Amino acid sequence: MAQLENNEPLLINEEDEEEEETAYEETEKVHIVREEDEDDLEHGVGCGGAPPFSWKKLWLFTGPGFLMSIAFLDPGNLEGDLQSGAVAGYSLLWLLMWATAMGLLVQLLSARLGVATGRHLAELCRDEYPTWARMVLWVMAELALIGSDIQEVIGSAIAIKILSNGVLPLWAGVVITALDCFVFLFLENYGIRKLEAVFAVLIATMAVSFAWMFGQAKPSGSELLIGILVPKLSSRTIQKAVGVVGCIIMPHNVFLHSALVQSREVDKRQKYRVQEALNYYTIESTIALFVSFMINLFVTTVFAKGFYNTDLADSIGLVNAGQYLQDKYGGGVFPILYIWAIGLLAAGQSSTITGTYAGQFIMGGFLNFKMKKWLRALITRSCAIIPTIIVALVFDSSEATLDVLNEWLNVLQSIQIPFALIPLLCLVSKEQIMGSFKIGPLYQTTAWLVAALVILINGYLLLEFFTSEVSGVVYTGLVTMFTASYGAFIFYLIARGITFTPWRFKAESIQ
């Protein structure tokens, strides 16, 4: 086994140590201070039997939801926003709002799983599925993460190229972005709250940048309100509508949130303490996704005001969006081109760091081995950075390459969505796993309907993509075989979720 200079192993397998890999060590968790009147509390009087609401405690629980919300603000989502606004105007704002609400439902289920069990989704999948299925789920989760990471890194590289006035080419921006994982590790050594503070700054940067753009564009308030409240669809906007819903739920984010909530100290033996944590996480996640909705709304409306019903509407993407904004709205006090680039850079940097974070939980959870954080981060980042540098070198000489790349990466992530949603819904519905915190029949029905809708929408995108891109007998045969295997595995996951009984993990007794 590889050794460090201080004789600490780089890798600790479960054969070497009985203790399993955990999302956070006890010393890393944020301590939740009890109020003075809770010293002798046996059961609370607040919501769900939890202790009364406390602003101080809400502040202590605030953090995981905002880290989770980054996935709703990554460069891929921003590109979807600007294209939706340019092609559909204000007419899809209602769908953006409801898609965010669906995303919130999924993320609350993920948080519920993590808090009630004290384990995250990847760890539970490791125990609940046989080795072959677990390895397939792990590979799918890693592929989804790599696909997302490539888009995020490219988005950061584009922003760096704009801010450097083209002095730094895309590949240089990719290398710079690749180094952020070590910044992340450095910050994490000072505690999870320090890391969360950095993300708060990045989210605030996005909010200020895109709100500034919103103020300069001066979109129509009445049209904006109608777009949010009145559902509209047309043959021209249906594809963008499907894209709005399809890009909201990120597979790796489902795994991430179930781990992030374990960064707080919660006594799972006390039911009211678990309920208290769930209440605060619900409030925090709702606020976080409301902020992300507003940022997405700013981007969509700016491009709706400037480019809807124009000849440029169908040609706008991340690369040329800044220049189009500059040509449309002019310089102002601070050129809008650089405002856009700053917001895009904050989105790219924050999402790549959370991607690295998610990669650590996914790898550790599915494979159950301990690895030094810097080594795991290096492996996780290398999987995405190496192909991204290759893409950046090609893209510097051909802008059309990025559009093709984005289409394939969107397909890659769409394929993975059922392999995060179905295990999540099956696990949170099991009393053997969740105890009294399993979701009820109404919640189950709603969650499965949302999951089915998202899977069907992404299935539509896949069908449309392969129909237009795949031709020839050989390729068609391969796609048909893949589709049959894909559908069979989804059916297996659903059937397994109905019948399995946890053999290794039992919910802790909650008093």
Side-chain angles (χ1 to χ4, degrees):
M1 182 179 295
Q3 300 283 327
L4 292 175
E5 292 181 1
N6 60 0
N7 293 324
E8 292 182 7
L10 293 176
L11 179 66
I12 303 174
N13 207 315
E14 55 187 335
E15 295 178 357
D16 302 314
E17 185 172 296
E18 292 184 1
E19 183 182 355
E20 293 185 346
E21 169 72 348
T22 57
Y24 296 93
E25 300 295 339
E26 289 300 321
T27 55
E28 297 176 317
K29 294 184 178 182
V30 176
H31 176 64
I32 305 300
V33 180
R34 295 189 179 189
E35 303 290 346
E36 292 182 3
D37 58 353
E38 293 180 35
D39 291 340
D40 299 319
L41 184 65
E42 294 183 0
H43 56 83
V45 295
C47 180
F53 177 81
S54 163
W55 288 104
K56 181 179 180 180
K57 283 193 177 181
L58 177 61
W59 171 248
L60 291 174
F61 277 102
T62 296
F66 282 90
L67 266 68
M68 166 274 295
S69 72
I70 294 295
F72 291 71
L73 299 169
D74 70 357
N77 277 283
L78 296 183
E79 184 166 33
D81 292 338
L82 65 90
Q83 291 176 346
S84 170
V87 173
Y90 302 91
S91 65
L92 296 182
L93 291 178
W94 67 274
L95 190 59
L96 175 63
M97 180 182 68
W98 284 108
T100 304
M102 289 191 294
L104 174 62
L105 173 65
V106 171
Q107 295 303 149
L108 290 180
L109 289 175
S110 178
R112 189 182 192 89
L113 182 71
V115 173
T117 65
R119 308 178 79 199
H120 57 82
L121 181 58
E123 292 176 317
L124 292 169
C125 286
R126 183 184 72 233
D127 288 349
E128 298 303 336
Y129 295 98
T131 301
W132 72 269
R134 166 172 40 105
M135 296 308 292
V136 172
L137 288 172
W138 172 59
V139 170
M140 292 299 184
E142 291 287 359
L143 287 175
L145 181 60
I146 291 170
S148 174
D149 207 12
I150 291 175
Q151 289 181 310
E152 293 157 358
V153 170
I154 288 291
S156 287
I158 291 171
I160 290 171
K161 185 175 182 179
I162 293 173
L163 292 172
S164 67
N165 288 321
V167 173
L168 293 175
L170 274 188
W171 67 265
V174 169
V175 172
I176 292 171
T177 305
L179 299 177
D180 63 18
C181 67
F182 297 103
V183 176
F184 146 72
L185 288 173
F186 174 78
L187 292 171
E188 193 180 29
N189 288 332
Y190 288 90
I192 186 66
R193 295 295 276 174
K194 301 292 191 302
L195 181 64
E196 290 169 352
V198 171
F199 279 97
V201 171
L202 291 171
I203 293 173
T205 300
M206 281 185 271
V208 171
S209 298
F210 297 133
W212 191 328
M213 289 170 45
F214 181 85
Q216 287 196 349
K218 297 181 177 64
S220 169
S222 59
E223 289 186 64
L224 188 154
L225 192 60
I226 291 172
I228 293 176
L229 299 178
V230 181
K232 292 181 183 178
L233 274 179
S234 67
S235 57
R236 174 174 165 78
T237 62
I238 185 66
Q239 187 173 3
K240 294 302 177 186
V242 170
V244 167
V245 178
C247 68
I248 281 293
I249 296 178
M250 309 291 285
H252 73 273
N253 210 40
V254 179
F255 289 94
L256 175 65
H257 201 194
S258 64
L260 289 174
V261 294
Q262 295 175 46
S263 61
R264 269 55 178 177
E265 185 182 66
V266 177
D267 185 357
K268 295 183 294 300
R269 296 169 300 177
Q270 302 294 329
K271 181 177 179 179
Y272 69 91
R273 290 296 174 194
V274 177
Q275 186 61 58
E276 176 186 49
L278 291 175
N279 292 345
Y280 284 118
Y281 281 135
T282 298
I283 296 171
E284 186 235 2
S285 297
T286 302
I287 294 172
L289 288 194
F290 175 76
V291 172
S292 75
F293 167 70
M294 292 303 299
I295 292 174
N296 285 317
L297 181 144
F298 289 153
V299 176
T300 302
T301 52
V302 165
F303 285 88
K305 172 64 184 301
F307 304 102
Y308 179 54
N309 276 338
T310 68
D311 295 336
L312 300 175
D314 293 317
S315 61
I316 297 179
L318 283 181
V319 178
N320 54 27
Q323 191 57 54
Y324 283 174
L325 287 170
Q326 184 73 11
D327 295 340
K328 179 71 177 181
Y329 296 110
V333 177
F334 193 72
I336 198 169
L337 170 66
Y338 297 115
I339 297 172
W340 163 254
I342 290 171
L344 179 60
L345 181 63
Q349 289 292 325
S350 57
S351 55
T352 54
I353 298 174
T354 54
T356 302
Y357 216 9
Q360 295 190 53
F361 294 133
I362 289 171
M363 182 181 293
F366 275 110
L367 303 185
N368 190 27
F369 57 71
K370 290 191 173 183
M371 182 181 289
K372 291 297 179 181
K373 290 181 179 179
W374 66 266
L375 181 59
R376 189 181 299 166
L378 182 62
I379 294 173
T380 304
R381 301 300 289 134
S382 297
C383 290
I385 293 302
I386 293 174
T388 306
I389 290 177
I390 296 172
V391 169
L393 290 172
V394 174
F395 172 64
D396 263 352
S397 60
S398 173
E399 292 193 4
T401 306
L402 184 61
D403 293 331
V404 175
L405 172 71
N406 274 329
E407 288 180 7
W408 280 98
L409 291 177
N410 288 335
V411 167
L412 178 64
Q413 293 176 75
S414 296
I415 289 173
Q416 319 305 329
I417 285 178
F419 307 131
L421 283 185
I422 294 175
L424 172 68
L425 295 183
C426 291
L427 289 167
V428 296
S429 303
K430 293 295 180 180
E431 186 174 359
Q432 301 98 321
I433 294 172
M434 299 292 293
S436 61
F437 291 97
K438 74 167 188 174
I439 58 176
L442 179 60
Y443 205 166
Q444 284 185 43
T445 302
T446 304
W448 277 105
L449 287 174
V450 168
L453 177 62
V454 172
I455 291 171
L456 287 174
I457 286 174
N458 281 278
Y460 171 83
L461 287 174
L462 294 176
L463 179 63
E464 185 180 71
F465 178 80
F466 284 120
T467 301
S468 61
E469 295 292 330
V470 176
S471 60
V473 176
V474 175
Y475 287 117
T476 302
L478 290 174
V479 170
T480 302
M481 291 176 58
F482 169 79
T483 303
S485 301
Y486 179 78
F489 189 57
I490 291 177
F491 178 79
Y492 165 80
L493 291 176
I494 295 174
R496 173 83 180 183
I498 294 173
T499 60
F500 71 50
T501 299
W503 59 272
R504 187 176 174 186
F505 170 71
K506 299 292 183 182
E508 293 188 36
S509 176
I510 299 178
Q511 299 175 356

